[in-house]
Amino acid sequence: MPAQSISIRRVERFDIPEGRTPILKNDLTVGAIENTGQTLTVEGVIFKRYVGKYNQTFQEDIWVFDPLSDDLLEINQYQKAFEFNIFYSVDKRILFSDTTTPITKKFLHNLKGMAGVEVDYSALRLDFLRISDMMPQTRGVRFNSDDQGVNSKSFSGDEVDSNNEASEALENDHATQIVGNLDILGLSRTIMLTQSGTLLVYTPLNDLNNREYPMLEFALATLRTIRILD
């Protein structure tokens, strides 16, 4: 089973009109958000559920098959449509989006400018040094670098936090990504956290397969484990 991810945001306000709200950019429709009116309770936390849609434009040369001409055509731009759930807790002031963080960022940025929408959000700020200390095993650290010609460095290994550069990055709050093991919901899981708001789990969530939204439940449990939420 491939790794699963979810994007997380702190939210002070998330007022969305009933029904479907188109999202426009330069007078073109790039997506929409649907207020489903549905609420669900996960581990005592009440979430409102929305459905987001976003069309991402990619600038790259690819070949596609054209059935009309029965031939391959080269194109340098194409769109990919993403549809995803958004879960928002008024009480915890937290939002989970089950798509990638780059899509979530673009979606929320464009949503914020729509008439009738009131959205105020920010990225989580995580204390990676404290989280690393909680991990029986820290297996990866990525951080920004001032070295000539190098924007970032990444270290991986069984005890990567014992490396001087990785340790200094954690201590100086320069780390942008951490990978390690944590006991979450009674099992050891290998996870990745980023300062941009991504939680990724490499360990299959077989014990949660009977849940309607297993990644949401896992994300909530993870934030409680690292003491971001009570």
Side-chain angles (χ1 to χ4, degrees), residues 31-228:
I33 186 168
E34 179 185 353
N35 187 339
T36 68
Q38 177 190 3
T39 61
L40 59 150
T41 302
V42 178
E43 295 295 314
V45 179
I46 299 174
F47 290 94
K48 296 181 179 181
R49 176 177 169 265
Y50 304 83
V51 176
K53 297 182 180 180
Y54 190 76
N55 299 321
Q56 172 70 41
T57 300
F58 294 89
Q59 304 281 349
E60 61 179 333
D61 295 330
I62 63 171
W63 291 88
V64 297
F65 178 73
D66 179 17
L68 294 179
S69 62
D70 193 30
D71 199 359
L72 291 173
L73 298 178
E74 185 178 12
I75 61 174
N76 55 26
Q77 176 178 296
Y78 64 95
Q79 282 194 338
K80 184 176 180 180
F82 295 84
E83 182 170 321
F84 47 94
N85 289 304
I86 296 169
F87 306 99
Y88 167 54
S89 168
V90 177
D91 180 49
K92 299 299 182 181
R93 296 186 298 176
I94 201 83
L95 179 147
F96 297 97
S97 167
D98 63 7
T99 188
T100 66
T101 291
I103 293 298
T104 298
K105 290 172 66 175
K106 293 175 182 178
F107 175 86
L108 291 175
H109 175 76
N110 289 303
L111 173 64
K112 192 173 183 178
M114 296 301 99
V117 170
E118 294 290 339
V119 176
D120 185 10
Y121 63 92
S122 61
L124 291 176
R125 189 63 197 174
L126 301 174
D127 185 343
F128 279 163
L129 177 60
R130 181 177 60 82
I131 294 171
S132 177
D133 288 341
M134 296 173 65
M135 291 176 164
Q137 192 175 49
T138 302
R139 302 174 64 178
V141 175
R142 179 184 292 273
F143 52 93
N144 295 326
S145 173
D146 294 328
D147 289 1
Q148 184 175 356
V150 178
N151 295 324
S152 65
K153 291 184 178 182
S154 180
F155 288 81
S156 60
D158 291 339
E159 295 181 359
V160 70
D161 52 323
S162 64
N163 174 273
N164 288 337
E165 281 191 84
S167 178
E168 288 177 5
L170 290 169
E171 292 172 0
N172 296 327
D173 198 24
H174 293 162
T176 58
Q177 176 182 303
I178 190 171
V179 178
N181 295 352
L182 272 178
D183 191 335
I184 303 168
L185 295 175
L187 292 174
S188 177
R189 324 272 185 163
T190 302
I191 66 168
M192 179 187 79
L193 289 162
T194 74
Q195 291 291 12
S196 61
T198 296
L199 165 63
L200 187 147
V201 56
Y202 297 95
T203 309
L205 301 179
N206 296 329
D207 55 314
L208 301 178
N209 281 345
N210 62 336
R211 308 296 205 274
E212 187 174 12
Y213 302 107
M215 193 60 193
L216 172 62
E217 185 166 338
F218 180 78
L220 182 61
T222 301
L223 294 188
R224 283 174 165 167
T225 298
I226 62 176
R227 299 195 291 272
I228 297 298

